[in-house]
Amino acid sequence: MSEVLVLGATGTTGSRVAAFLAERGVPARLATRKPPSAMQVRFDWADRDTHAPALRGVSAVYLVAPVGVADPVPLVEPFLEEAVRQGVRRVVQLSSSAPPEGTPGLGAVHSLVRTTMAEWAVLRPSWFMQNFTGEHAAARGVAIGEIVTATKEGRVAFIDATDIAAVAGHALVDEDPHNTEHILTGPEALSYADVAAIIARRVGRPIRHRSITAGELAVRLTENGIPPEFAAMLAALDEDISGGSEDRVTGTVERVTGRPARSFRVFAEMELPGGSALS
């Protein structure tokens, strides 16, 4: 097959999609706003002059919509139209388990991908396990010993980004197009208190979960530099979790890839520093 364009190629899922393709010898064009090497191509959602060169000669696209944009449709729609003009057949979009098709934001992009492309898949993963590493708010909570959410006792079937990338990779290269949405979860739904206990055991120090109101969380996020509108949306998602919106487990990862999704305990052992094995 011709090249696969991977948007957000240095990001959490994009880098793993690129690795999946490389392991299978699939030619990939890695796109990012500031390419660190000649092996990558410049792509910026806000600069439409970068779209056509990035798309030229590719057969499929891994699409990560612009981050932090309340309405990404005005940016994504002309990109998809350009993709069709250049003969791209397949698009695999990273969405989220929270917004169903047609709702504002990623749900609207979902509709665009399904109706514009001849071959498509939309990935709707639950919350990332990687939120507890790196620079995410949950990771900062781990660092100081207190994870703060508005989820109460609500549970989430957290998923490893490597499993998301594996499903994305299959959707990009399988001979038959998937032409469906994939709701992706890990193998077990956990509360944030459960997660805090697993991490505490792994890192060997106390970590607790503290639940606050959605309004308090929105203020807290805004004070940490998140735009108010986006902070309110994130807080509302936590409130939805408290009501059970993410308390579900699917077998999609195993069905698509042939192997089970990685558990949070295994993720903690592999990705978090510490001396305690989790069994």
Side-chain angles (χ1 to χ4, degrees):
M1 65 184 302
S2 57
E3 285 184 300
V4 174
L5 174 64
V6 179
L7 302 186
T10 59
T12 302
T13 62
S15 60
R16 289 168 171 81
V17 171
F20 177 99
L21 298 173
E23 288 169 2
R24 287 154 181 79
V26 177
R29 184 175 302 173
L30 310 182
T32 182
R33 283 193 303 169
K34 297 179 180 179
S37 74
M39 301 298 292
Q40 297 183 349
V41 61
R42 181 171 178 267
F43 179 87
D44 188 335
W45 280 110
D47 183 357
R48 290 176 64 171
D49 289 342
T50 66
H51 295 189
L55 285 163
R56 193 164 297 127
V58 306
S59 60
V61 176
Y62 179 63
L63 191 157
V64 180
V67 177
V69 176
D71 181 12
V73 168
L75 295 172
V76 176
E77 187 168 25
F79 171 80
L80 292 178
E81 291 170 351
E82 180 64 28
V84 171
R85 278 194 294 272
Q86 297 212 31
V88 176
R89 290 282 301 171
R90 185 176 298 188
V91 167
V92 175
Q93 178 212 350
L94 177 66
S95 184
S96 164
S97 60
E101 180 182 359
T103 54
L106 291 177
V109 176
H110 179 156
S111 296
L112 271 179
V113 169
R114 180 181 62 79
T115 58
T116 303
M117 303 308 303
E119 301 176 357
W120 62 281
V122 173
L123 311 183
R124 297 183 58 201
S126 185
W127 271 235
F128 291 16
M129 294 179 185
Q130 278 72 17
N131 289 352
F132 297 93
T133 62
E135 298 300 319
H136 192 275
R140 293 195 294 272
V142 169
I144 65 173
E146 182 179 73
I147 302 169
V148 179
T149 77
T151 60
K152 299 181 181 177
E153 298 303 314
R155 301 195 303 170
V156 177
F158 294 96
I159 184 166
D160 193 306
T162 302
D163 291 330
I164 300 170
V167 174
H170 280 279
L172 287 164
V173 306
D174 284 353
E175 183 175 354
D176 294 329
H178 291 197
N179 290 353
T180 191
E181 65 173 38
H182 291 304
I183 296 179
L184 307 176
T185 76
E188 181 182 15
L190 302 167
S191 70
Y192 275 85
D194 294 331
V195 166
I198 292 169
I199 296 174
R201 181 178 172 189
R202 171 59 182 162
V203 302
R205 55 183 172 81
I207 296 173
R208 70 171 186 138
H209 170 240
R210 178 164 65 94
S211 187
I212 59 179
T213 69
E216 290 170 332
L217 181 62
V219 171
R220 184 184 179 96
L221 293 172
T222 302
E223 290 174 345
N224 281 280
I226 295 177
E229 183 180 359
F230 195 53
M233 183 198 74
L234 293 175
L237 291 176
D238 264 24
E239 194 167 37
D240 290 343
I241 289 171
S242 74
S245 65
E246 293 297 323
D247 192 355
R248 59 183 170 184
V249 171
T250 72
T252 307
V253 171
E254 184 166 14
R255 177 173 54 79
V256 173
T257 69
R259 59 166 179 77
R262 188 156 70 164
S263 72
F264 194 90
R265 288 168 178 80
V266 172
F267 164 81
E269 284 187 356
M270 297 183 68
E271 304 293 342
L272 295 173
S276 299
L278 301 167
S279 58

